[in-house]
Amino acid sequence: MSAAVRGRVSSERRLPLPDACLGCSSCVAVCPVASSDGRFAGPKVLGPAFERLLAGPWPGEPGLGPRDAERLGAGLCLQCHLCDLACPAGVEVSSLTRRAKALARRLPRGGYRRLMDDLLADQERFGRLAAAVRWPRSLLHGTSPWLGRTVDGFAGRLVGLHPARRLPRPPRQPFRAWFEATRRPREERDRQPVILFVGCHGRFHDPVVPRAAVEVLRSAGYRVVAAQEVCCGSPALSVGDEGRARDSLEANARLLDHLSTRLGGGVPIVSPCPSCSLSLRRLLPELIGDGPARAVADAVWDLGEFLAGPARVGLEQAFDRPRHWGDDGAPPSGEEAAVTPWTYHASCHLRALGVGKLFPALLSSLEVPGRLDAGPAADGCCGMGGLTGLTREGYDLSLAAGARVLEAYRSLAAAGPVVLSDCPACRWQIAEATGLKTAHPVELLAARLRDRAGGRNSIG
Amino acid sequence: MRAVGRGAPRVVDYDVVVIGSGLAGLVAAAAAAAAGARVGVVAESFGGLAMWSGLVSGKAPAGDEELDAVRFFIEFGVRCGLEYGGCGGSRGAEGEAAREGMEVLSSSGRPVRCLLAPETVWAGDLRNWASSGMQADDGGLLVVGFTELEDYPAAVIAGQAAAETGVRTAHRTVSLGRAAGRGLGVRIAGLFDDPAWFEGFLEASRRLLGREARRFRAVALPPVLGLFRFRSNLEALRENLGTAVFELPAVPPSLPGMRFWHLWRWRLEADGRTTFHLGRRVVEADTHGDRCLAVSDGLTVYRAAAFVLATGGVAGRGLEVPPEAFFRLSKPTGALRPGQAPGGGPARPGERSVPVEPIFGLETCGRRTDWLSWGVRVQDSSRPCPTGGPANVFVAGWQLGGPEPDALLSITTGWQAGRAAADCREEGTQ
């Protein structure tokens, strides 16, 4: 007989307990902002210490307020969660710094800037706006790439992006349209369903990643159902807007719970974006509470975790299917030379999920050749911090915070690798700062699968 | 064990699961991976390493097995880019090096005895403070501090070192400029990792210290010369100043400990056999007969042929299961202090704290410790000895007892536990 002895069982690891902080500064040691920006007081001060002083030193005396949060640089926190992983005392530091961030946001700011801040933080609205102007933008880019870039640059400045940041090019076909066009309901009827939580970046700006995810999941034998979703709330949190994040999470909990029930219950929810996975998995129970929210949170998988876990067998079978190009399975001569070297960058939110870096091992076990190692210095935060690094104010900070990591990737430039990362923000930052090609690891998997089917041998 | 959450069970399979990623956990993971096992490390964070000065203290290794463990530790360190050396020589005679022990100067201004030390805290022939000849007339030590690093008072350290060791000392404090901000060691280490900034620092150090440094046998700097580029930085400084340059070990937050964690973890991940599940805490263990089948962090179930408990004696936050889960003791013991919760952390309201059963004269790895210590009693095979416990659970590190921080214990027991756990896998497959 099997005996299970358990302690506290919960998908939510810890509580933000400021009093457990020993003041050891381990969180400051790993904080990408504290080590690169003197204005930022660091997670120890803005987390546990700030929280303790919020209520005021004595009853009746005023505690810390928005001005204090601003003075200590609370707005600069990137919400990368690395401090949580560093704390030896188990304090959920990032939840505490998030509160200080939210407090700093209460300070009155210029009307237009606040408006644009709100627009960027509300990726749902921003994405809809981008979708509305997709046609004219496509037309512009098609007629004259120069004109397209100029207009994009102008629009970017209007919404508060740094001039060096380029808006992604408008997608030729939005993900949803592609998805509906390629669905084969009759063939897929008996397959096990998975809900794909696409994420705003895939839904509105770059459909390549969710497409690759769908292709790979379908090859592994699943019926993919694209969720009716709203933004996961993590962009809102990155500017300290907890109210908006809560609304998004609540809506998602409702939508996903409903969809899962309709599909027969207990359907895994898979997201190719680690920030979405983290937001759903950790913040749903923290901000929304128990009930369906927790059940949804517990059903969320990061794509890498899902492919390396339950989908592994199906994926291996898909890779075992004979190639089209020869009975012995050998590629035609010259094909080996076309191997793209790749290296893998784990985003901070992927680390915070605690699932491990699964894609490199998965790619290696599926015999995807060309792996390069960027060394220990590349193992860290790229500095983008979601939206922060895109904005005019956050740009310099983002390059400084990611300097070491970006330099490590730059040093690989001679080999011309593609940097694989799950996180769209990391890909954006690394591509712009190093000039290297970037992709989601699932794109490489999809390319290899297509390759087996006799298609192109390149990414994207 | 119930699969937590809805949908597909979230189960991961490994040959060996190591709980904890402090010194013992990393060594255990490395040893198991070196023996060919697929290893999963489930840990909250870097545990005691945050407080570790990087010096390997303890009693001199006794017996071949302990020497093998030390050898492995040094060899793997070289692969990680973090060289450890002892008094008797660096690589060639690794194990033997640790036997002699060495004396390095610490940031308290006092020489401390240790068995092995990272390459950054000694320079050239300065491995042993007592026999370094620093006391001679042409010797002497220049202690350099940084204005922005207030926790590191160069004047006090130099004064202490002169009083404690009789060496001629002097001190200088230089400013790192505005980039250092409100100077915390780690922030400064970030600067030292930036090649462009370091070029400027080299230039300035030649101007500010160059002439003075040559009059001393060695220059001691705070241990903040980069989290990754420390080796090349030290070499450049040595060349630039024309004298021996080394770091004084200091804690916390310990940069040497962080370096260790980052580099070992990176190496293990890059080798491809080890997966780190960080920020997770084990809350459930599933035992069946004399075997532990799986542990769970509440969301994911980690199945393995063997388990290593390297959950720490001091910081220990990786385990939130009563020790009975693994050992089925009639009386609870564990690396617990009065008032602590079963996880090792401070008890929260409503949580049960476990009474402590002190064990006198604990015997670990053939070495007898005579002080009062807490811990799980183990046999030489680093198996917890209470009968009826699972045969595939091994203990490593400070949980094995001893209020005295002893890094050698973590290294030797980590290595033993890792190898023993990897052997379980072979037993399982045969």
Side-chain angles (χ1 to χ4, degrees), chain B residues 91-163:
Chain B
R91 281 187 225 175
E94 291 90 357
E96 291 70 14
R99 246 189 201 147
E100 287 182 40
M102 60 201 289
E103 214 170 41
V104 297
L105 197 66
S106 83
S107 57
S108 64
R110 212 167 265 152
V112 287
R113 247 201 116 56
C114 64
L115 301 169
L116 292 169
E119 55 182 324
T120 56
V121 305
W122 40 260
D125 56 349
L126 288 180
R127 281 165 198 246
N128 205 344
W129 192 252
S131 62
S132 62
M134 289 288 283
Q135 283 93 342
D137 289 342
D138 60 339
L141 176 74
L142 177 65
V143 180
V144 176
F146 301 140
T147 318
E148 290 76 12
L149 195 63
E150 288 163 6
D151 295 351
Y152 186 89
V156 177
I157 295 168
Q160 274 279 356

Coordinates of all heavy atoms in Angstrom, one line a residue, chain B residues 91-163:
Chain B
R91 N 45.9 21.9 -9.1 CA 45.2 20.7 -9.6 C 45.8 19.4 -9.4 O 45.2 18.5 -8.7 CB 45.0 20.9 -11.1 CG 43.9 21.9 -11.4 CD 43.6 21.9 -12.9 NE 43.4 23.3 -13.2 CZ 43.2 23.8 -14.5 NH1 43.2 22.9 -15.4 NH2 43.0 25.0 -14.7
G92 N 47.1 19.2 -9.7 CA 47.7 17.9 -9.7 C 47.3 17.0 -8.5 O 46.8 15.9 -8.6
A93 N 47.4 17.6 -7.3 CA 47.3 16.8 -6.1 C 46.1 17.3 -5.3 O 46.2 17.7 -4.1 CB 48.5 16.8 -5.3
E94 N 44.9 17.3 -5.9 CA 43.8 18.0 -5.3 C 43.4 17.5 -3.9 O 43.4 18.3 -3.0 CB 42.5 17.8 -6.2 CG 42.6 18.5 -7.5 CD 43.2 17.7 -8.6 OE1 43.6 16.5 -8.3 OE2 43.3 18.1 -9.7
G95 N 43.2 16.2 -3.8 CA 42.7 15.7 -2.6 C 43.7 16.0 -1.5 O 43.4 16.5 -0.4
E96 N 45.0 15.7 -1.8 CA 46.0 15.8 -0.8 C 46.1 17.3 -0.4 O 46.5 17.6 0.8 CB 47.3 15.3 -1.4 CG 47.4 13.8 -1.6 CD 46.5 13.3 -2.7 OE1 46.1 14.2 -3.5 OE2 46.3 12.1 -2.8
A97 N 45.9 18.2 -1.3 CA 46.0 19.6 -1.0 C 45.1 20.0 0.2 O 45.5 20.8 1.0 CB 45.6 20.4 -2.2
A98 N 43.9 19.4 0.2 CA 43.0 19.8 1.3 C 43.5 19.2 2.6 O 43.1 19.7 3.7 CB 41.6 19.2 0.9
R99 N 44.3 18.2 2.6 CA 44.7 17.6 3.8 C 45.5 18.6 4.7 O 45.3 18.6 5.9 CB 45.6 16.4 3.6 CG 44.8 15.2 4.0 CD 45.7 14.0 3.9 NE 44.8 12.8 3.9 CZ 45.1 11.7 3.2 NH1 46.2 11.6 2.6 NH2 44.3 10.7 3.3
E100 N 46.4 19.3 4.1 CA 47.2 20.2 4.8 C 46.5 21.4 5.4 O 46.8 21.9 6.5 CB 48.3 20.7 3.9 CG 49.4 19.7 3.6 CD 50.5 20.3 2.7 OE1 50.9 21.4 3.0 OE2 50.9 19.6 1.8
G101 N 45.5 21.8 4.7 CA 44.8 23.0 5.2 C 45.6 24.3 4.8 O 46.7 24.2 4.5
M102 N 44.9 25.4 4.9 CA 45.6 26.6 4.6 C 45.0 27.7 5.5 O 44.0 27.6 6.1 CB 45.4 26.9 3.1 CG 43.9 27.1 2.7 SD 43.7 26.8 0.9 CE 44.5 28.3 0.3
E103 N 45.6 28.8 5.4 CA 45.2 29.9 6.2 C 45.1 31.2 5.3 O 46.1 31.6 4.7 CB 46.3 30.2 7.3 CG 45.7 30.7 8.6 CD 46.7 30.7 9.7 OE1 47.9 31.1 9.4 OE2 46.4 30.3 10.8
V104 N 43.9 31.6 5.2 CA 43.7 32.8 4.3 C 43.2 34.0 5.2 O 42.6 33.8 6.2 CB 42.7 32.6 3.1 CG1 43.3 31.5 2.2 CG2 41.4 32.2 3.6
L105 N 43.5 35.2 4.7 CA 43.1 36.4 5.5 C 41.6 36.6 5.2 O 41.2 36.5 4.0 CB 43.9 37.6 5.0 CG 43.9 38.8 5.9 CD1 44.5 38.4 7.3 CD2 44.6 40.0 5.3
S106 N 40.8 36.9 6.2 CA 39.4 37.2 5.9 C 39.2 38.7 6.1 O 40.1 39.4 6.6 CB 38.5 36.4 6.9 OG 38.4 37.1 8.1
S107 N 38.0 39.1 5.8 CA 37.7 40.5 5.9 C 37.5 41.0 7.3 O 37.2 42.2 7.5 CB 36.5 40.9 5.1 OG 35.4 40.1 5.5
S108 N 37.7 40.1 8.3 CA 37.7 40.6 9.6 C 39.1 41.0 10.0 O 39.4 41.4 11.1 CB 37.2 39.5 10.6 OG 38.1 38.4 10.5
G109 N 40.1 40.8 9.0 CA 41.4 41.2 9.3 C 42.2 40.1 10.0 O 43.3 40.2 10.5
R110 N 41.6 38.9 10.0 CA 42.1 37.8 10.8 C 42.4 36.6 9.8 O 41.6 36.4 9.0 CB 41.1 37.4 11.8 CG 41.6 36.8 13.1 CD 40.5 36.7 14.1 NE 40.5 37.9 15.0 CZ 39.4 38.4 15.6 NH1 38.3 37.8 15.4 NH2 39.5 39.4 16.4
P111 N 43.5 35.9 10.0 CA 43.7 34.8 9.1 C 42.7 33.7 9.6 O 42.6 33.4 10.8 CB 45.1 34.3 9.4 CG 45.7 35.4 10.2 CD 44.6 36.1 10.9
V112 N 42.0 33.0 8.7 CA 41.1 31.9 9.1 C 41.6 30.6 8.4 O 42.1 30.6 7.3 CB 39.7 32.2 8.6 CG1 39.0 33.2 9.5 CG2 39.6 32.5 7.2
R113 N 41.5 29.6 9.2 CA 41.9 28.3 8.7 C 40.9 27.6 7.8 O 39.7 27.7 8.1 CB 42.2 27.3 9.9 CG 43.6 27.0 10.0 CD 44.0 25.8 10.8 NE 44.6 24.8 10.0 CZ 45.7 25.0 9.3 NH1 46.3 26.2 9.2 NH2 46.2 24.0 8.5
C114 N 41.3 27.1 6.7 CA 40.3 26.3 5.9 C 41.1 25.2 5.2 O 42.3 25.2 5.2 CB 39.6 27.2 5.0 SG 40.6 28.0 3.7
L115 N 40.3 24.4 4.5 CA 41.0 23.3 3.8 C 41.2 23.7 2.3 O 42.2 23.4 1.7 CB 40.1 22.1 3.8 CG 39.8 21.6 5.3 CD1 38.7 20.5 5.3 CD2 41.1 21.0 5.9
L116 N 40.2 24.3 1.7 CA 40.3 24.7 0.3 C 39.7 26.1 0.2 O 38.8 26.5 1.0 CB 39.4 23.8 -0.5 CG 39.8 22.3 -0.7 CD1 38.7 21.6 -1.4 CD2 41.1 22.2 -1.5
A117 N 40.2 26.8 -0.7 CA 39.6 28.2 -0.9 C 39.5 28.4 -2.4 O 40.3 27.9 -3.2 CB 40.5 29.2 -0.3
P118 N 38.6 29.3 -2.9 CA 38.5 29.6 -4.3 C 39.7 30.4 -4.7 O 40.3 31.1 -3.9 CB 37.2 30.5 -4.4 CG 36.9 30.9 -3.0 CD 37.5 29.9 -2.1
E119 N 40.0 30.3 -6.0 CA 41.3 30.9 -6.5 C 41.3 32.4 -6.2 O 42.4 33.0 -6.2 CB 41.4 30.6 -8.0 CG 40.1 31.1 -8.7 CD 40.2 30.8 -10.2 OE1 41.2 30.9 -10.8 OE2 39.1 30.5 -10.8
T120 N 40.2 33.0 -6.1 CA 40.2 34.5 -6.0 C 40.7 35.0 -4.6 O 41.1 36.1 -4.5 CB 38.7 35.0 -6.1 OG1 37.9 34.4 -5.1 CG2 38.2 34.7 -7.5
V121 N 40.7 34.1 -3.6 CA 41.1 34.7 -2.3 C 42.6 34.4 -2.0 O 43.1 34.8 -0.9 CB 40.3 34.1 -1.1 CG1 38.8 34.3 -1.4 CG2 40.5 32.6 -0.9
W122 N 43.3 33.9 -2.9 CA 44.7 33.8 -2.7 C 45.4 34.1 -4.0 O 44.8 34.1 -5.1 CB 45.2 32.5 -2.2 CG 44.6 31.3 -2.7 CD1 43.6 30.6 -2.1 CD2 44.8 30.7 -4.0 NE1 43.2 29.5 -2.9 CE2 43.9 29.6 -4.1 CE3 45.7 30.9 -5.1 CZ2 43.9 28.7 -5.2 CZ3 45.6 30.0 -6.2 CH2 44.7 29.0 -6.2
A123 N 46.7 34.5 -4.0 CA 47.3 34.9 -5.2 C 48.7 34.2 -5.2 O 49.4 34.3 -4.2 CB 47.5 36.4 -5.4
G124 N 49.0 33.5 -6.3 CA 50.4 32.9 -6.4 C 50.8 32.1 -5.2 O 50.1 31.2 -4.8
D125 N 51.9 32.5 -4.5 CA 52.3 31.7 -3.4 C 51.8 32.1 -2.1 O 52.2 31.8 -1.0 CB 53.9 31.7 -3.4 CG 54.4 33.2 -3.3 OD1 53.5 34.1 -3.5 OD2 55.6 33.4 -3.0
L126 N 50.7 32.9 -2.1 CA 50.1 33.4 -0.9 C 49.0 32.5 -0.4 O 48.1 33.0 0.2 CB 49.5 34.8 -1.1 CG 50.6 35.9 -1.3 CD1 49.9 37.2 -1.5 CD2 51.5 36.0 -0.1
R127 N 49.2 31.2 -0.6 CA 48.1 30.3 -0.2 C 48.0 30.1 1.3 O 47.0 29.9 1.8 CB 48.3 28.9 -0.9 CG 47.9 28.9 -2.3 CD 48.4 27.7 -2.9 NE 48.4 27.9 -4.3 CZ 47.6 27.2 -5.1 NH1 46.9 26.2 -4.6 NH2 47.6 27.4 -6.4
N128 N 49.2 30.3 1.9 CA 49.2 30.1 3.3 C 49.7 31.3 4.0 O 50.9 31.6 3.8 CB 50.0 28.8 3.7 CG 49.6 28.3 5.0 OD1 48.8 28.9 5.7 ND2 50.0 27.1 5.3
W129 N 48.9 31.9 4.7 CA 49.2 33.2 5.3 C 50.5 33.1 6.2 O 51.4 33.9 6.1 CB 48.0 33.7 6.1 CG 48.2 35.2 6.5 CD1 48.4 35.6 7.7 CD2 48.1 36.3 5.6 NE1 48.5 37.0 7.7 CE2 48.4 37.4 6.4 CE3 48.0 36.4 4.2 CZ2 48.4 38.7 5.8 CZ3 48.0 37.7 3.7 CH2 48.2 38.8 4.5
A130 N 50.6 32.0 7.0 CA 51.6 31.9 7.9 C 53.0 31.8 7.3 O 54.0 32.3 7.7 CB 51.4 30.7 8.8
S131 N 53.0 31.0 6.1 CA 54.3 30.8 5.5 C 54.5 31.7 4.3 O 55.3 31.4 3.4 CB 54.4 29.3 5.1 OG 53.4 29.0 4.2
S132 N 53.8 32.7 4.2 CA 53.8 33.5 2.9 C 55.0 34.5 2.9 O 55.3 35.1 1.9 CB 52.5 34.3 2.8 OG 52.4 35.2 3.9
G133 N 55.6 34.7 4.1 CA 56.7 35.7 4.1 C 56.2 37.1 4.1 O 57.0 38.0 3.8
M134 N 54.9 37.3 4.4 CA 54.4 38.6 4.4 C 55.0 39.5 5.5 O 55.0 40.7 5.4 CB 52.9 38.6 4.5 CG 52.1 38.1 3.3 SD 52.2 39.2 1.9 CE 50.9 40.4 2.4
Q135 N 55.4 38.8 6.5 CA 55.9 39.6 7.7 C 57.3 40.2 7.4 O 57.7 41.1 8.1 CB 56.0 38.7 8.9 CG 54.7 38.4 9.6 CD 54.1 37.1 9.0 OE1 54.4 36.6 8.0 NE2 53.1 36.6 9.8
A136 N 57.9 39.7 6.4 CA 59.3 40.2 6.1 C 59.2 41.7 5.7 O 58.2 42.2 5.4 CB 59.9 39.4 4.9
D137 N 60.4 42.3 5.8 CA 60.4 43.8 5.6 C 59.9 44.2 4.2 O 59.3 45.2 4.1 CB 61.9 44.3 5.8 CG 62.3 44.2 7.2 OD1 61.4 44.1 8.1 OD2 63.5 44.2 7.5
D138 N 60.2 43.4 3.2 CA 59.8 43.8 1.9 C 58.4 43.3 1.6 O 57.9 43.4 0.4 CB 60.8 43.2 0.8 CG 60.9 41.7 0.9 OD1 60.5 41.1 1.9 OD2 61.3 41.1 -0.1
G139 N 57.7 42.7 2.6 CA 56.4 42.2 2.3 C 55.4 43.3 2.5 O 55.6 44.5 2.1
G140 N 54.3 43.0 3.1 CA 53.3 44.0 3.4 C 52.1 43.9 2.5 O 52.1 43.3 1.4
L141 N 51.0 44.4 3.0 CA 49.7 44.3 2.4 C 49.0 45.6 2.3 O 49.0 46.4 3.3 CB 48.8 43.3 3.2 CG 47.4 43.1 2.7 CD1 47.4 42.2 1.5 CD2 46.6 42.5 3.8
L142 N 48.5 45.9 1.1 CA 47.8 47.1 0.9 C 46.3 46.7 0.8 O 45.9 46.0 -0.1 CB 48.2 47.8 -0.4 CG 47.4 49.1 -0.8 CD1 47.6 50.2 0.2 CD2 47.8 49.6 -2.2
V143 N 45.5 47.2 1.8 CA 44.1 46.9 1.8 C 43.3 48.0 1.1 O 43.4 49.2 1.5 CB 43.5 46.7 3.2 CG1 42.0 46.4 3.2 CG2 44.3 45.6 3.9
V144 N 42.7 47.7 0.0 CA 41.9 48.7 -0.8 C 40.4 48.5 -0.6 O 39.9 47.4 -0.7 CB 42.3 48.6 -2.3 CG1 41.5 49.6 -3.1 CG2 43.8 48.8 -2.5
G145 N 39.8 49.6 -0.3 CA 38.3 49.6 -0.1 C 37.7 50.5 -1.2 O 38.4 51.3 -1.9
F146 N 36.4 50.4 -1.3 CA 35.7 51.3 -2.2 C 34.8 52.2 -1.4 O 34.1 51.8 -0.5 CB 34.8 50.5 -3.2 CG 35.6 49.6 -4.1 CD1 35.2 48.3 -4.3 CD2 36.9 49.9 -4.6 CE1 35.9 47.4 -5.1 CE2 37.6 49.1 -5.3 CZ 37.1 47.8 -5.6
T147 N 34.8 53.5 -1.7 CA 34.0 54.5 -1.0 C 32.5 54.0 -1.0 O 31.9 54.2 0.1 CB 34.1 55.8 -1.7 OG1 35.4 56.1 -2.1 CG2 33.6 57.0 -0.8
E148 N 32.1 53.5 -2.1 CA 30.6 53.1 -2.2 C 30.3 51.9 -1.4 O 29.1 51.6 -1.2 CB 30.3 52.9 -3.7 CG 30.3 54.2 -4.5 CD 31.7 54.7 -4.8 OE1 32.6 53.9 -4.6 OE2 31.8 55.8 -5.3
L149 N 31.3 51.1 -1.0 CA 31.0 49.9 -0.3 C 31.3 50.1 1.1 O 32.3 49.8 1.7 CB 31.9 48.8 -0.9 CG 31.6 47.3 -0.5 CD1 30.2 46.9 -1.1 CD2 32.6 46.4 -1.1
E150 N 30.2 50.6 1.8 CA 30.4 51.0 3.2 C 30.6 49.9 4.2 O 31.2 50.0 5.2 CB 29.2 51.9 3.6 CG 29.2 53.2 3.0 CD 27.8 53.9 3.1 OE1 27.0 53.3 3.7 OE2 27.7 54.9 2.4
D151 N 30.2 48.7 3.8 CA 30.3 47.5 4.7 C 31.7 47.0 4.8 O 32.0 46.1 5.5 CB 29.4 46.4 4.2 CG 28.0 46.7 4.3 OD1 27.7 47.8 4.8 OD2 27.1 45.9 3.7
Y152 N 32.6 47.6 4.0 CA 33.9 47.1 3.9 C 34.9 48.1 4.3 O 35.5 48.8 3.4 CB 34.1 46.6 2.4 CG 35.4 45.9 2.2 CD1 35.5 44.5 2.4 CD2 36.6 46.6 1.8 CE1 36.7 43.8 2.1 CE2 37.8 45.9 1.5 CZ 37.8 44.5 1.7 OH 39.0 43.9 1.5
P153 N 35.2 48.3 5.6 CA 36.0 49.4 6.0 C 37.5 49.0 5.9 O 38.0 48.3 6.7 CB 35.6 49.6 7.5 CG 35.1 48.3 7.9 CD 34.6 47.5 6.7
A154 N 38.2 49.5 4.9 CA 39.5 49.2 4.6 C 40.5 49.5 5.8 O 41.4 48.7 6.1 CB 40.0 49.8 3.3
A155 N 40.2 50.7 6.4 CA 41.1 51.1 7.4 C 41.0 50.1 8.6 O 42.1 49.7 9.2 CB 40.7 52.5 7.9
V156 N 39.8 49.7 9.0 CA 39.6 48.8 10.1 C 40.3 47.4 9.8 O 41.0 46.8 10.6 CB 38.1 48.6 10.4 CG1 38.0 47.6 11.5 CG2 37.5 49.9 10.7
I157 N 40.1 47.0 8.5 CA 40.6 45.7 8.2 C 42.2 45.7 8.2 O 42.8 44.8 8.7 CB 40.1 45.3 6.8 CG1 38.6 45.1 6.8 CG2 40.8 44.0 6.3 CD1 38.0 45.0 5.4
A158 N 42.7 46.8 7.7 CA 44.2 46.9 7.6 C 44.7 47.0 9.1 O 45.7 46.3 9.4 CB 44.6 48.2 6.9
G159 N 44.1 47.7 9.9 CA 44.5 47.8 11.3 C 44.5 46.5 12.0 O 45.4 46.1 12.7
Q160 N 43.3 45.8 11.8 CA 43.2 44.5 12.4 C 44.3 43.5 11.9 O 44.8 42.8 12.7 CB 41.8 43.9 12.0 CG 40.7 44.3 12.9 CD 40.6 43.5 14.2 OE1 41.4 42.5 14.3 NE2 39.7 43.8 15.1
A161 N 44.5 43.5 10.6 CA 45.4 42.6 10.0 C 46.8 42.8 10.6 O 47.6 41.9 10.9 CB 45.4 42.7 8.5
A162 N 47.2 44.1 10.7 CA 48.5 44.4 11.3 C 48.6 43.9 12.7 O 49.6 43.3 13.1 CB 48.7 45.9 11.2
A163 N 47.5 44.2 13.5 CA 47.6 43.8 14.9 C 47.6 42.2 15.0 O 48.3 41.7 15.9 CB 46.4 44.3 15.6

